[in-house]
Amino acid sequence: MTKKTIYSFDLGTSAWRIAHLMCEVSSNAPSQILTQPVPVLLNNFNNPKSCLPVAILPNNQLYFYGQEAYHQLKEEKQLNNWHENFKIDSNNLLQSLQLTQLLLTEIIQQLDKERPSYTPDDCIYLFSYPHDWNKNLIKKFKELIDNSLPNKQVDFVPESQGLLLGVLNTGFVNNSDGKYTLIIDLSESKVNFFYGFNLNQEYQKLELISFPNQDLFNSEIINYLAEKLSISVTKNDFYWIKLKQYATQIKESFSKVTEPNHLTTINLLLGGDSEKIINQSIQLTFQEFEEIIKPSISQIKQIVEQFFQQY
C-alpha cells in the first residue's frame, strides 16, 4: 500500500473550493481512506473554505486574484480589467478556457509553494465537472486541467457523483438499499435534477431549469447592504462588485445556521482612490437573513414544486 494525498477541486461559478484527504492505494486492493476531507486554506483565499474566482487582468495578465483582487479594486476605471466567474462557457469557449487555465495555474503554483512537502508522485488531483456538460466541453476541460498540471496524476468525476459520495459518507443515503437517489443541484442561475441507482451507474439528467434572475441570493443581499449604506447600486457597477464579496461572506456565515437569533457581523470597507470610502459594520440575525432572501427561496420552491408535478 502507498500513501497518497488527494486534492479535490470544485471550480464553481461563485467560489473555487479545494479539499484534501489522505489515503492508501494499492494496485490489487480497494483504496483505504485514512482521514476525512478537510478544506485547504491558501493565503489568498477569502476564508478556510473557498477562493473567490475574481481577478484583475490588465492585458490578460493576472495581477491579483481572490480576496486580494477585491482589496486592490479601488476605483471605477479598474473594472475595465476586472474579471469574475472563471468557468468554461460554451458561448465564449476560447476566452473562458484561457482565463480559467490562467487562474488555475496560479492556484496550483501557490498550492505547491505553501505545501512543498508533497511531491507530484504523492498526490492525486481530482476535479469535478457539471453533469450537463456535453462531451466536447468535458474534453476541453480535461485538456485545460492537463495543461495546468503537467506530469501530475489527475482524475475527473461528475458533480452529481461527487455529491452522492459526500451524502453516502454522512450515512444519510444507503447505496445498497435498492432505491434510486434524486439529486437537486442548485446554483446561482439554474437548478439541475438528476437521478441514479448507485455509484457505478451514470446518473441521468431529468431537467435543467434556469432562473430569470442570474444572480440568485446575491442580488437581494447586495441591495439590502446598499440600502443600509445609503448608496445606490446597479448590477455590475463598482459598488455592486465590491458588495458581492460581502454577499458571499454572509451566505457562508449562515450556511449551517438554524437558530433564528444567531448573529453575524460584517465589516464593510468600500472605495478608495477616487471613490468615496465607506467603512461600516452591519449586524444580521439568521431571521433577518431569511427575510432578505425570500424572493430567491420562492423561486426555488416554485421550480421544485413544478418538477414534482411533472414527474
Side-chain angles (χ1 to χ4, degrees):
M1 302 286 280
T2 303
K3 286 187 178 181
K4 295 275 189 178
T5 299
I6 297 180
Y7 286 107
S8 62
F9 291 75
D10 177 13
L11 310 184
T13 303
S14 59
W16 283 20
R17 303 177 190 276
I18 309 174
H20 76 95
L21 58 79
M22 299 293 295
C23 68
E24 286 186 336
V25 298
S26 171
S27 58
N28 54 11
S31 299
Q32 300 293 321
I33 296 176
L34 303 178
T35 63
Q36 291 299 309
V38 177
V40 172
L41 172 61
L42 300 180
N43 286 337
N44 215 18
F45 280 25
N46 62 310
N47 60 46
K49 295 181 179 179
S50 64
C51 171
L52 297 169
V54 298
I56 296 177
L57 289 163
N59 301 315
N60 283 338
Q61 299 296 312
L62 197 153
Y63 277 32
F64 305 102
Y65 73 90
Q67 191 65 42
E68 184 62 22
Y70 274 114
H71 289 326
Q72 296 296 331
L73 183 65
K74 298 177 179 178
E75 53 187 343
E76 187 88 29
K77 66 181 182 181
Q78 289 178 285
L79 293 180
N80 295 328
N81 298 318
W82 181 261
H83 187 79
E84 59 184 42
N85 298 341
F86 286 77
K87 189 87 169 181
I88 295 178
D89 181 2
S90 57
N91 296 319
N92 192 11
L93 186 57
L94 182 59
Q95 184 186 36
S96 64
L97 284 167
Q98 291 173 339
L99 293 177
T100 302
Q101 183 172 330
L102 192 65
L103 179 58
L104 179 59
T105 300
E106 188 73 21
I107 288 178
I108 294 297
Q109 290 174 355
Q110 187 178 351
L111 182 66
D112 289 342
K113 288 178 183 177
E114 295 186 29
R115 295 172 178 263
S117 58
Y118 300 128
T119 65
D121 291 339
D122 295 329
C123 300
I124 300 172
Y125 298 83
L126 185 64
F127 289 82
S128 64
Y129 59 86
H131 199 109
D132 57 326
W133 276 3
N134 59 37
K135 290 182 179 179
N136 181 54
L137 281 180
I138 295 172
K139 178 185 176 184
K140 294 294 185 184
F141 180 65
K142 290 182 176 181
E143 290 173 354
L144 179 156
I145 300 302
D146 288 337
N147 291 335
S148 302
L149 290 91
N151 305 317
K152 295 187 178 182
Q153 188 175 347
V154 177
D155 206 350
F156 303 87
V157 63
E159 288 177 354
S160 57
Q161 192 174 13
L163 176 60
L164 182 58
L165 276 168
V167 175
L168 287 171
N169 191 47
T170 66
F172 185 72
V173 172
N174 185 345
N175 193 39
S176 60
D177 61 5
K179 296 179 181 178
Y180 281 86
T181 299
L182 174 68
I183 294 175
I184 302 175
D185 179 21
L186 172 67
S187 73
E188 292 180 358
S189 60
K190 63 187 178 183
V191 181
N192 274 307
F193 295 87
F194 305 100
Y195 78 97
F197 189 68
N198 57 47
L199 284 174
N200 299 319
Q201 177 198 60
E202 181 73 13
Y203 268 51
Q204 303 299 311
K205 183 173 72 174
L206 290 171
E207 192 79 44
L208 186 154
I209 304 173
S210 296
F211 294 109
N213 174 7
Q214 295 294 303
D215 233 338
L216 202 64
F217 298 113
N218 281 338
S219 57
E220 289 98 342
I221 300 171
I222 290 171
N223 287 326
Y224 170 84
L225 294 175
E227 184 178 345
K228 284 289 185 180
L229 297 174
S230 301
I231 59 175
S232 61
V233 293
T234 56
K235 188 167 184 177
N236 294 328
D237 71 5
F238 176 78
Y239 284 120
W240 176 283
I241 296 294
K242 292 289 283 186
L243 288 173
K244 193 171 182 179
Q245 64 173 314
Y246 297 110
T248 301
Q249 185 179 336
I250 288 170
K251 288 186 296 183
E252 292 280 358
S253 175
F254 286 114
S255 62
K256 294 185 179 180
V257 172
T258 55
E259 297 83 7
N261 295 322
H262 176 86
L263 188 69
T264 190
T265 301
I266 306 297
N267 299 311
L268 303 167
L269 178 60
L270 311 176
D273 292 351
S274 61
E275 303 294 338
K276 175 186 176 183
I277 295 178
I278 299 172
N279 190 351
Q280 185 173 329
S281 295
I282 291 178
Q283 290 188 322
L284 266 179
T285 65
F286 180 68
Q287 197 167 19
E288 290 171 325
F289 173 69
E290 282 192 312
E291 190 66 29
I292 293 167
I293 63 171
K294 261 187 177 180
S296 289
I297 296 296
S298 296
Q299 284 190 65
I300 297 167
K301 288 177 65 177
Q302 184 179 3
I303 286 175
V304 173
E305 288 169 357
Q306 289 174 353
F307 168 82
F308 281 109
Q309 289 172 3
Q310 182 177 348
Y311 289 93

